[in-house]
Amino acid sequence: MLKPPAIDGLVARLGRWSAGRGPLYVLLAARLRELIDDGELPPDTPLPPDRAFATALAVGRGTVVAAYDVLCQEGKIVRRQGSGTRVASAVLPRDRTRAGDTANPLFLHLLERPDHVVQLTCATPTTVPPEVTSAYTRALSLIRSDGLGYHPAGHPALRGALAERYTRRGLPTEPDQILVTTGAQQALSLVTRLLVRPGDKVVVEAPTYPGALEVFREAAAIPRPVSSVDGLDWPALVDVLGRERPALGYLIPTHHNPTGTVLPTPARRRVAEVAAVHGVPLVDDEALVDLGFDGAEPAPLAVFAPDNAVLTVGSLSKIVWGGLRVGWVRASAALVARLARLKAVHDLGSDVASQLAAVDLLADLDAIRARRAGELRRRHDRLRAELGARLPDWRFRPAAGGQTLWVRLPHGDAVSFAQLALRHGIALLPGGSLDVSGGSAACLRIPFLAPPDELGKAVRQLAGAWRDYSPSADPPTTLAPLAI
């Protein structure tokens, strides 16, 4: 029998299965059939019991039974009393090399085909600032003089501009302390590949950025969670760093994803000093550092520790646009050189045009930041007001910055509610995918990136889904009409 976490993983792999048209059992059978045929559910894989699966999907038990019956008739699965339900042994998948695929809803929703569903899963800007077009225009005029175009450590102009920016923030930095990457996600992947071995412990916040958890899962690391629900429990973190000596610590101290909290300066100093004493490298993820509502820019953790103790990761994806795949790592020159050799093997260096455009955008970043911060504050306040008016039982703390609210449901669980919300046209990110401690099963991450009127419409759809949600009752087995 599948344990509950395995059920949640299967539910995540189903993606937006119920957002189409037609009877729910047909849609569920179709998606399970696709997973079986693609090898994501290999022969003899146990499938969840009817009632447990129905609860996780927020459908009636009859929906699951009917879907299983269809697949039984097709020979895709077998059902035996006392033995449960399994993928048939005779099924030959088209591709049996998918063991490393992600089941994280964040990535699965990105991989889904565009449809009518409102995306509240990915937290990144949806509009392209006007500065991007002009920056690329100027960048293209400079490419003719760039020689081979291979810069594994990053284009010298961008490394210099980033070093100068850190120096202005009180962290003296030379260009050879900067590695340019294809977004912050690649930065996390390279750092993990270099410093973490299978079975190593990695300290993470609970909850935290799900993309980092996927990187650590791929590395076969053992996550060691420390609570960050109401702000990082930094005394507990200090204790873990000293007692367990993990291979790496991953933190988002500034405008935390997903809670929006900021770690106070005294706590930053203490955490960085303890990590340095015990030889634990820390990753300070600053992808959201520019998104504070009050315009403040707290000091990087590396200000309080030697260069070999903290690796600072940054990106332009959140402050400018997700399609601008420019990130970086700021660390000691020796560590950057090792990371650059690793990156060279993977892609020979990031796109030159984007790097040159990034140089141009860094010169305008203060103006872009002021505009974005004001915009995000207004949207944050609109989302708060809409949730307070239409879903007053949902609990959350206002954010100090960033892009998301961390919301706790008054009852039920986020996985099953997210399934019902899909049938109301809303794709949500359940809290379990951000929290390896298991403590966020009733939580949702809700971004406030859409225009205010769209946020209002999305909350109306969520309120409609919540009215229909009853985790202890069997929902109808027919497709609910989409709230448009």
Side-chain angles (χ1 to χ4, degrees):
M1 179 183 295
L2 291 184
K3 301 296 184 183
I7 293 178
D8 288 354
L10 176 57
V11 169
R13 285 193 178 276
L14 292 175
R16 298 201 292 272
W17 69 274
S18 63
R21 297 289 180 181
L24 285 180
Y25 80 90
V26 173
L27 298 174
L28 178 58
R31 181 59 179 143
L32 287 170
R33 183 188 303 114
E34 185 177 347
L35 293 178
I36 292 169
D37 288 345
D38 285 350
E40 294 195 46
L41 293 176
D44 297 318
T45 298
L47 296 176
D50 307 344
R51 193 172 299 279
F53 203 16
T55 298
L57 294 173
V59 300
R61 178 171 176 264
T63 295
V64 174
V65 171
Y68 279 171
D69 284 347
V70 169
L71 295 173
C72 273
Q73 294 170 17
E74 296 175 355
K76 299 291 184 183
I77 66 175
V78 292
R79 282 161 68 77
R80 295 190 180 93
Q81 191 166 0
S83 300
T85 305
R86 292 177 174 272
V87 177
S89 300
V91 174
L92 295 177
R94 292 193 293 261
D95 179 1
R96 302 186 67 172
T97 62
R98 306 169 69 94
D101 285 1
T102 179
N104 193 294
L106 171 66
F107 295 100
L108 293 178
H109 278 288
L110 287 176
L111 292 166
E112 291 273 6
R113 292 184 296 273
D115 54 22
H116 56 272
V117 173
V118 177
Q119 279 281 11
L120 293 182
T121 54
C122 187
T124 194
T126 56
T127 57
V128 184
E131 291 90 346
V132 171
T133 302
S134 56
Y136 268 97
T137 299
R138 285 190 285 271
L140 291 174
S141 69
L142 298 174
I143 285 182
R144 292 190 301 272
S145 60
D146 199 66
L148 288 176
Y150 292 128
H151 301 284
H155 195 285
L158 181 54
R159 299 177 81 190
L162 289 168
E164 181 182 347
R165 189 168 183 85
Y166 277 115
T167 300
R168 290 201 306 270
R169 292 181 61 198
L171 180 59
T173 303
E174 297 297 327
D176 64 357
Q177 292 180 267
I178 300 290
L179 174 80
V180 178
T181 60
T182 305
Q185 188 70 23
Q186 188 189 52
L188 294 176
S189 297
L190 291 172
V191 168
T192 302
R193 185 176 290 269
L194 183 66
L195 300 179
V196 178
R197 297 293 177 263
D200 282 350
K201 292 181 181 178
V202 174
V203 173
V204 297
E205 295 171 277
T208 190
Y209 168 54
L213 295 180
E214 283 298 285
V215 170
F216 303 143
R217 181 191 68 83
E218 186 179 55
I222 299 173
R224 176 64 170 83
V226 174
S227 176
S228 59
V229 173
D230 298 316
L232 175 64
D233 185 353
W234 64 267
L237 173 63
V238 165
D239 177 66
V240 170
L241 294 177
R243 180 165 38 84
E244 301 191 18
R245 308 287 179 91
L248 188 70
Y250 171 73
L251 305 176
I252 312 174
T254 307
H255 313 310
H256 178 261
N257 179 0
T259 65
T261 58
V262 177
L263 188 66
T265 297
R268 290 170 186 257
R269 183 185 304 276
R270 180 62 176 155
V271 167
E273 290 174 348
V274 169
V277 167
H278 294 292
V280 179
L282 293 180
V283 171
D284 177 2
D285 188 338
E286 285 202 320
L288 301 170
V289 71
D290 295 299
L291 301 183
F293 297 155
D294 59 3
E297 196 173 40
L301 291 181
V303 167
F304 308 110
D307 282 337
N308 61 346
V310 177
L311 299 88
T312 309
V313 169
S315 169
L316 292 179
S317 295
K318 305 302 184 183
I319 181 67
V320 181
W321 178 49
L324 183 66
R325 306 304 304 143
V326 174
W328 56 86
V329 180
R330 188 267 178 205
S332 67
L335 191 53
V336 164
R338 294 171 64 195
L339 288 167
R341 290 194 292 271
L342 185 59
K343 179 173 166 60
V345 172
H346 285 268
D347 63 10
L348 300 178
S350 298
D351 170 57
V352 168
S354 295
Q355 292 186 67
L356 293 174
V359 174
D360 205 75
L361 288 164
L362 285 171
D364 294 330
L365 203 60
D366 290 341
I368 295 172
R369 179 174 61 183
R371 185 173 67 241
R372 285 273 292 134
E375 178 184 86
L376 285 170
R377 178 190 283 275
R378 289 189 293 274
R379 296 179 182 191
H380 167 271
D381 293 347
R382 176 63 179 272
L383 179 58
R384 283 181 59 197
E386 292 286 348
L387 289 173
R390 299 181 184 278
L391 293 160
D393 293 337
W394 289 20
R395 294 287 176 256
F396 58 89
R397 292 178 181 270
Q403 304 178 126
T404 58
L405 287 181
W406 187 239
V407 178
R408 181 172 290 276
L409 303 177
H411 61 266
D413 70 277
V415 170
S416 61
F417 176 68
Q419 288 294 307
L420 184 60
L422 272 175
R423 303 197 285 280
H424 285 256
I426 299 284
L428 294 169
L429 193 62
S433 61
L434 296 89
D435 187 344
V436 296
S437 75
S440 299
C443 295
L444 297 166
R445 189 187 79 170
I446 303 181
F448 43 83
L449 291 160
D453 289 346
E454 292 183 20
L455 287 172
K457 178 181 175 182
V459 174
R460 289 195 297 274
Q461 291 174 258
L462 286 176
W466 187 247
R467 285 193 297 271
D468 291 346
Y469 181 60
S470 177
S472 60
D474 277 354
T477 58
T478 56
L479 183 68
L482 292 174
I484 301 299

